[in-house]
Amino acid sequence: MGLIRALDEVRRFSHEVREQGRSLGLVPTMGALHEGHLSLVRRARSECTSVVVSIFVNPTQFGPREDLGRYPRNLERDLGLLTPFKIDAVFAPDAGTMYPSGFDTFVDPGAVAQSLEGALRPGHFRGVATVVLKLLNLVRPTTAYFGQKDFQQAMVIRRLIEDFNLDVRLALCPIVREPDGLAMSSRNAYLSAEERVAALALSRALQRAETAFCHGETRLEALVDEMKRVIAAEPHLQLDYAAVAEAQTLAPPAVVIAGSVALIAARVGSTRLLDNLILAPPGTNDEDRLREFETRNSKLEIRNS
Ligand code: PAF
């Protein structure tokens, strides 16, 4: 597994892979790897002949009062976690390499980036879309792997790929949860034992909304109220939003249907946590939810040619 720091080196690597007609998977990360990231690496490994994981804590997606400074960074540990997967390379540029002095061009994502996370974190998706476009341009993967955990981010990137005619397939992979239901996140490392217990209310709230939906409740406000009630009962949590949205656009759906997405974000102490659930009939597992989602939303899945 090579460690690549320089832009010309990653370009050379990608060129060689493509010259040999091999498929190339990219797993973009900000490091602090956990089982959620490793599930993306595993999927990339099973689908592509070559795999690159990028590790870059992207400063342009953090707001001035966010956790850029304290975001967990431990390259040695991350490399150790990746070693068993026998991937081809880790691309870990530094900030000056990705954003040299004079850098002045950003991607400006549209409507899908305006609500929810976009409304609470102005400029966040501009930073995400910019760095993802740069990574896709540098690595030129056949497939890029993203987690459903950051659902809105994945929809912003789908739109980016479609709108900029990028020759890459986006693979969306299920949320990996702790046995008690907590969605895995690098930010879980910030939680005290008490906060970690409180954080379980997010997945509980989503489950509550789905139960109501499965019992026939399709009114948007009623489903949102179900989620709000669960969060309100947990004094350590402050709700940022609870929403049910149309999957591709993140707009409020005219009618809530199987395939609509329940999304929630809350703060516990100084840590923000996100979670979401694609609504489905009882007993549907996460892979099937995503498969159904891909089928329903296949238009953006079509590769540009
Ligand atoms: O999801 C993340 O870890 C980041 O937002 C990403 C996609 C690597 C861009 O910095």
Side-chain angles (χ1 to χ4, degrees), residues 72-266:
R73 293 166 173 86
N74 189 340
L75 185 60
E76 285 309 309
R77 178 186 167 277
D78 289 343
L79 295 177
L81 287 171
L82 290 171
T83 304
F85 293 92
K86 300 192 185 334
I87 62 170
D88 298 65
V90 169
F91 175 46
D94 62 28
T97 303
M98 290 297 272
Y99 298 107
S101 91
F103 181 92
D104 201 22
T105 306
F106 288 85
V107 177
D108 180 19
V112 67
Q114 306 310 313
S115 61
L116 307 174
E117 287 302 292
L120 283 161
R121 303 181 67 187
H124 171 64
F125 287 126
R126 176 184 192 251
V128 169
T130 301
V131 83
V132 169
L133 180 60
K134 284 170 73 69
L135 290 168
L136 293 176
N137 258 335
L138 288 162
V139 179
R140 302 194 50 201
T142 330
T143 306
Y145 294 83
F146 292 90
Q148 184 199 327
K149 160 77 182 3
D150 293 299
F151 188 85
Q152 190 176 13
Q153 165 174 283
M155 294 309 103
V156 169
I157 295 166
R158 280 167 84 100
R159 201 65 258 172
L160 170 80
I161 290 171
E162 175 81 1
D163 292 348
F164 284 7
N165 312 109
L166 304 179
D167 188 17
V168 62
R169 183 174 77 93
L170 185 156
L172 189 57
C173 307
I175 297 175
V176 179
R177 296 181 182 279
E178 302 283 359
D180 57 10
L182 183 68
M184 288 200 186
S185 161
S186 303
R187 291 185 169 100
N188 292 352
Y190 301 151
L191 301 175
S192 68
E194 202 179 30
E195 289 172 340
R196 184 160 177 328
V197 172
L200 292 175
L202 274 83
S203 54
R204 253 196 338 266
L206 294 171
Q207 290 297 340
R208 185 75 65 81
E210 180 165 80
T211 303
F213 173 72
C214 289
H215 283 97
E217 182 57 84
T218 54
R219 291 168 304 158
L220 182 60
E221 283 311 319
L223 293 170
V224 168
D225 284 347
E226 289 285 347
M227 291 192 271
K228 285 184 175 166
R229 269 197 290 277
V230 177
I231 300 298
E234 180 43 74
H236 293 293
L237 283 184
Q238 277 184 297
L239 184 69
D240 276 346
Y241 58 78
V244 178
E246 195 275 322
Q248 274 195 34
T249 60
L250 276 301
V255 191
V256 178
I257 52 167
S260 301
V261 187
L263 303 107
I264 194 157

